[in-house]
Structure formats: structure tokens, C-alpha cells
């Protein structure tokens, strides 16, 4: 009993420390999940895991990534990512492949006596995707603001490129084991898995919307739907040999775009589950790293991290975004925001579960590169953005203490806060002069630290936060007419 109580106390204290360390993360732009990696490393000293344990971690990591990706999709506004769908999609697919190839070519020069080119490709596949949890965490920090389309494309890429890395990792393992080979069949398989993940993700997301139209006696059961939808999205998709991780991310985007009852509550619940999964995942992965081996591979790890940060990732970004409407400064910043996190480490457990000869070397190298990425890229992101003049003041605000939850009783009405842009044409006008759509009502105005109860004669000022109530369609019209940034 004492041991169990000690474990419970330690886990509870760790979660509290992690939650409060978010303030430190926001200030220094270092993902708080790094803390849990380091905690796991400390807790796991002297533990030598076996292949069975690594197999269990691979399964647990896959489950965790499903919830993380679903939450990322559920928080992704389709209207925000729509302008960057093409470049973001190219980055998430071709960008991952190119990063893998460039990394493997350079890594082969370092490991020419130890690893074959196929093994270097496997190493590149595992480290080639940016991490959704790390990127979302950094870009949600209160000190971060990026101009133009930078934030949408970075969030879209990080949320949707894990499936490609997942496919490449398993494919390269099969090649090394002699169970597969390059050819036209591989291309068709890739297209099938990605397209199948997208299609089934949309279908499960639409099914999820229908679930929330069901009237249940206990509201708490709607949160069970959230977990069920994620598991169905992954399970059904993988059951037909398509990409389950892609399905989870697309399912989240679909549900966000479709609208459904209890959406705000479910989104917050999903955020909480995602954070819990990340904490458990990063801590567990930290436990499994061989701390005493890190000094031995440190110089190779630093060289590989440098190749990834300064050669493979930038080359892939500049090539995939060639001809797109991004300046060289924006491409440079996109290259630098390619943070690595849980996804590469989870993928690094796959070779261990398949008992590949150099699997433990892969795991330690990947872990080392992730640490370097979190520290170097995370802490230098905003200084680089400021140097390139691509930063902007962060516009995030505390949530207003008034909202309208979407339920069957609200008849499709919602509340949303819109921030009045600087130098907008309607600043200085009264509410009566705005000509808002019929049925739209401004219920509250946030001006600085004050809350105002408006009427038709109230003037609108730049920087005001307008809490507006209306149907989803009317709110969309208001956003497009008054609040969309150029």
C-alpha cells in the first residue's frame, strides 16, 4: 500500500508541477513536455527494458498520438487552414519524404561503417516529422505571435505529417527485414493509406456529429462519445490497412467544421485528455532511454541534429514551397519551427519491438536529437522571428466569463468573441451603423480590462472584443465581412 500511495503522490505532484511550469514555458518558449522527458530519464536510471516492454510502449504511444492528433484537429479552424491547404499538405507529405532522404544521405556519411543506407533511411523516417504537441504548445504560448499565414501552415503541417512518418518508418522496417521492396506497388500503397485515412476520418467525424444529436439522460455520457470516436477513427481505418493517425486528425477537423452539440465542453475535455496523454507519454519515453549511453553517442547525436536543423529540414522546406507565396524569410522560419517531440520517440520504439539489430542505437539517437530540437529550436524561435521581422504582438486574451454552450435547447445559436482589427474601417462607428445580419446581437464589449453592456449608440473602438451571439451561419458572415485579416 505504501508503494502505491507513493506512486500516486509522485504522479499527482508531477502533474501539478507540469501545469504550473506552463508559465516558464511561455516565457522561454521551451515545451513543458521537456520537463517530463527529463523526469522520466531521472526515474528510469538503472532500468533496462526488454522488447516486450517496448512493444507495450509502442501500443501506448500509438493510442496517445491518436488522442493528441484528434485534439489538434478539433482545435484547428478549417477557415484558418483553408488558404494553406496546398502548401501545408505538400509539406506534410513530400516534405517528410525529402527530409528523410536528405537526412539519410548525410547520416550515411557518418555511419558508413555501422549502418546501411536503408538503416539510415529508417533513422530519417523516424525523425522526419515535426511534432504536433511541441508545435501547438510553443505557438500557444503567450509570448508568441507570427505574421501572415505562418501559424496556420505550421499547425497544419505538424498535425498532419505524423501519418507520413509513421508509414515510412514501418515501410523501412519491412525493407530491412526483407518483407517489402521499393516499386510502383509502394506508391499505390502510400496513396491508398493516406487517402483512406482522410476519407474514413471525414466519415467518422460526420458520424460523431450525428452521435451528439442523440439525446442522453446524463450529459457526462457525451464525453464517452469523444473517446469512442477517436478509437473508432483509428481502429476502423487501420482495419482496412489505411492510415489511422491521419484519420484521427481529419476526424477532429471534420467535427470542428461540422459543428455539434456540447462542442465547447467536448473540445476542452479533449484538450485535457491530450495533455494527460502527452504527460504520460513523455514521462514513459524518458524512462526507457539509456542515460548512460547518451554521452557515448553525444557527438554523433549533435552532428545528426545539426544535419536535421541546418540541412535536411531547410532543404525540404525550400524545395516543397518553391513557387508558393512565401518569402525566403518565411521559408527560413518555417524551416526552424520544425520541432521534434513525442512522435519521433514513439516511432523509435517500433524497431525495438521488431528486434532490429541497431534498434537501441536508433532510440538513443532519436531521443538525443529530440532534446536538442526542443532546447535549441524552442528557445530561439521568437528571437529568430523578431530578427526576420515576422513576429507580431500576441492577440490572445483570457476567456470571457460568459458563453453559450451549443445544446439542443439553443436552437443552433452560439456566442463568439471577435477582436476589432487595428485601423479597421468601422472603428468609431456605432453598433447601429454596422448593419449586422438580422438576428445577430452584440451582448458584451471587452475594452481593456472593462466589460461594457452595449446598446445601439455604443461606439466601436479598435482592439475591442465583441462578444456576439447568433447562428453559426450568421457568425460566419460577420467574421468574413468584418474580421478576416488580409
Amino acid at each position: 500500500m505504501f508503494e502505491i500511495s507513493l506512486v500516486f503522490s509522485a504522479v499527482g505532484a508531477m502533474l501539478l508541477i507540469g501545469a504550473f511550469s506552463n508559465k516558464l514555458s511561455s516565457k522561454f518558449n521551451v515545451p513543458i513536455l521537456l520537463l517530463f522527458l527529463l523526469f522520466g530519464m531521472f526515474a528510469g536510471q538503472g532500468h533496462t527494458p526488454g522488447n516486450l516492454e517496448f512493444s507495450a510502449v509502442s501500443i501506448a504511444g500509438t493510442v496517445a498520438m491518436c488522442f493528441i492528433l484528434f485534439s489538434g484537429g478539433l482545435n484547428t479552424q478549417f477557415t484558418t487552414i483553408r488558404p494553406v491547404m496546398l502548401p501545408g499538405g505538400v509539406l506534410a507529405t513530400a516534405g517528410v519524404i525529402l527530409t528523410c532522404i536528405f537526412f539519410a544521405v548525410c547520416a550515411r556519411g557518418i555511419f558508413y561503417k555501422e549502418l546501411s543506407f536503408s538503416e539510415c533511411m529508417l533513422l530519417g523516417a523516424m525523425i522526419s516529422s515535426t511534432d504536433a504537441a511541441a508545435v501547438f504548445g510553443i505557438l500557444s504560448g503567450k509570448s508568441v505571435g507570427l505574421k501572415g499565414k505562418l501559424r496556420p501552415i505550421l499547425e497544419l503541417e505538424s498535425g498532419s505529417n505524423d501519418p507520413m512518418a509513421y508509414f515510412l518508418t514501418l515501410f523501412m522496417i519491412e525493407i530491412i527485414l526483407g518483407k517489402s521492396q521499393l516499386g510502383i506497388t509502394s506508391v499505390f500503397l502510400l496513396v491508398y493509406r493516406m487517402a483512406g485515412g482522410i476519407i474514413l476520418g471525414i466519415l467518422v467525424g460526420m458520424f460523431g456529429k450525428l452521435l451528439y444529436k442523440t439525446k442522453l439522460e446524463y450529459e457526462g455520457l457525451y464525453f464517452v462519445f469523444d473517446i469512442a470516436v477517436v478509437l473508432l477513427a483509428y481502429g476502423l481505418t487501420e482495419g482496412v490497412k489505411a492510415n489511422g493517425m491521419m484519420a484521427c486528425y481529419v476526424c477532429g477537423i471534420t467535427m470542428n467544421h461540422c459543428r455539434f452539440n456540447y462542442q465547447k465542453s467536448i473540445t476542452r475535455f479533449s484538450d485535457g485528455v491530450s495533455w494527460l496523454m502527452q504527460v504520460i507519454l513523455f514521462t514513459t519515453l524518458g524512462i526507457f532511454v539509456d542515460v548512460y549511453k547518451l554521452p557515448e553517442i553525444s557527438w554523433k547525436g549533435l552532428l545528426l541534429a545539426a544535419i536535421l536543423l541546418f540541412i535536411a529540414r531547410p532543404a525540404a522546406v525550400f524545395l516543397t514551397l518553391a513557387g508558393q507565396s512565401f518569402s525566403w524569410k518565411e521559408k527560413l522560419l518555417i524551416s526552424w519551427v520544425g520541432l521534434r517531440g513525442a512522435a519521433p520517440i514513439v516511432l523509435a520504439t517500433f524497431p525495438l519491438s521488431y528486434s532490429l539489430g541497431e534498434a537501441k542505437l536508433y532510440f538513443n539517437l532519436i531521443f538525443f536529437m529530440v532534446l536538442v530540437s526542443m532546447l535549441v529550436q524552442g528557445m530561439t524561435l521568437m528571437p529568430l522571428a523578431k530578427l526576420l521581422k515576422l513576429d507580431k504582438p500576441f492577440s490572445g486574451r483570457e476567456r470571457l466569463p460568459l458563453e453559450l454552450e451549443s445544446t439542443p435547447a439553443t436552437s443552433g445559436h452560439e456566442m463568439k468573441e471577435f477582436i476589432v482589427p487595428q485601423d479597421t474601417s468601422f472603428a468609431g462607428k456605432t453598433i447601429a451603423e454596422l448593419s449586422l445580419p438580422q438576428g445577430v446581437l452584440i451582448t458584451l464589449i471587452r475594452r481593456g480590462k472593462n466589460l461594457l453592456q452595449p446598446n445601439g449608440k455604443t461606439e466601436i473602438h479598435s482592439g475591442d472584443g465583441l462578444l456576439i451571439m447568433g447562428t453559426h451561419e450568421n457568425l460566419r458572415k460577420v467574421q468574413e465581412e468584418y474580421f478576416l485579416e488580409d
Side-chain angles (χ1 to χ4, degrees), residues 8 68 74 147 159 163 234 239 256-257 300 404 485:
F8 276 34
I68 293 169
L74 199 58
K147 291 181 178 179
Y234 182 82
N256 183 306
H257 183 61
K300 291 182 179 179
L404 184 67
E485 297 182 1

Side-chain angles (χ1 to χ4, degrees), residues 132-441:
V135 172
F136 289 160
I138 285 291
L139 296 183
S140 297
K142 293 188 176 181
S143 62
V144 176
L146 299 176
K147 291 181 178 179
K149 301 176 182 178
L150 286 171
R151 177 163 178 157
I153 192 172
L154 288 168
E155 290 186 343
L156 174 61
E157 180 206 9
S158 65
S160 57
N161 64 6
D162 289 337
M164 175 60 78
Y166 176 77
F167 170 83
L168 286 178
T169 299
L170 292 179
F171 181 68
M172 292 310 304
I173 289 175
E174 290 180 353
I175 286 182
I176 293 172
L177 293 175
K179 296 180 180 180
S180 184
Q181 58 184 3
L182 292 172
I184 192 66
T185 304
S186 303
V187 177
F188 282 120
L189 179 61
L190 172 61
V191 173
Y192 169 77
R193 286 185 61 83
M194 300 301 284
I198 293 172
I199 293 171
L200 285 172
I202 293 173
L203 292 176
V204 176
M206 294 175 68
F207 173 70
K209 176 190 174 183
L210 294 177
L211 283 178
Y212 284 97
K213 286 186 177 182
T214 306
K215 188 174 181 180
L216 299 177
E217 188 171 349
Y218 300 102
E219 290 188 358
L221 292 176
Y222 288 102
F223 297 99
V224 178
F225 283 167
D226 180 75
I227 297 174
V229 165
V230 178
L231 298 179
L232 283 173
Y234 182 82
L236 293 176
T237 307
E238 287 289 329
V240 296
K241 306 301 181 182
N243 198 304
M245 288 192 179
M246 175 64 80
C248 291
Y249 181 67
V250 173
C251 178
I253 294 178
T254 302
M255 291 188 66
N256 183 306
H257 183 61
C258 288
R259 321 304 300 177
F260 55 92
N261 292 325
Y262 302 99
Q263 183 165 8
K264 293 178 181 179
S265 298
I266 294 301
T267 300
R268 289 176 193 147
F269 172 75
S270 183
D271 286 344
V273 172
S274 174
W275 273 106
L276 181 60
M277 290 290 179
Q278 292 174 50
V279 168
I280 294 173
L281 179 59
F282 272 68
T283 305
T284 304
L285 292 173
I287 289 173
F288 281 92
V289 71
D290 190 343
V291 178
Y292 302 106
K293 289 289 185 181
L294 291 183
E296 297 179 15
I297 55 95
S298 60
W299 72 270
K300 291 182 179 179
L302 285 173
L303 279 177
L304 292 176
I307 289 170
L308 178 67
L309 270 59
F310 298 108
I311 300 176
R313 167 72 176 177
V317 169
F318 275 81
L319 278 176
T320 52
L321 294 183
Q324 300 290 334
S325 58
F326 290 93
S327 66
W328 70 269
K329 290 183 178 181
E330 291 174 320
K331 293 175 184 176
L332 181 61
L333 188 64
I334 292 172
S335 302
W336 195 247
V337 190
L339 280 83
R340 270 60 188 177
I345 304 177
V346 169
L347 294 177
T349 64
F350 289 6
L352 287 158
S353 60
Y354 281 88
S355 301
L356 294 187
E358 299 294 339
K360 291 186 178 179
L361 174 64
Y362 301 150
F363 186 85
N364 289 327
L365 286 172
I366 294 293
F367 191 93
F368 192 92
M369 285 187 280
V370 168
L371 288 179
V372 173
S373 174
M374 283 188 167
L375 285 170
V376 176
Q377 292 175 292
M379 295 185 68
T380 58
L381 187 156
M382 283 316 294
L384 179 61
K386 291 178 181 178
L387 180 64
L388 298 174
K389 298 181 178 179
L390 295 174
D391 64 312
K392 69 175 183 179
F394 185 72
S395 59
R397 299 184 175 196
E398 296 294 332
R399 183 169 60 89
L400 281 169
L402 179 65
E403 64 180 19
L404 184 67
E405 178 66 280
S406 178
T407 69
T410 59
S411 302
H413 284 75
E414 305 172 6
M415 276 188 182
K416 184 176 181 180
E417 185 181 13
F418 295 93
I419 309 300
V420 178
Q422 297 294 325
D423 303 321
T424 185
S425 60
F426 61 87
K429 292 185 178 181
T430 65
I431 291 177
E433 294 172 327
L434 287 183
S435 300
L436 295 173
Q438 186 70 27
V440 170
L441 178 66

Side-chain angles (χ1 to χ4, degrees), residues 25 56 93 112 170 196 318 341 457 486:
S25 170
T93 51
Y112 68 96
L170 292 179
F318 275 81
K457 297 180 180 180
D486 298 330

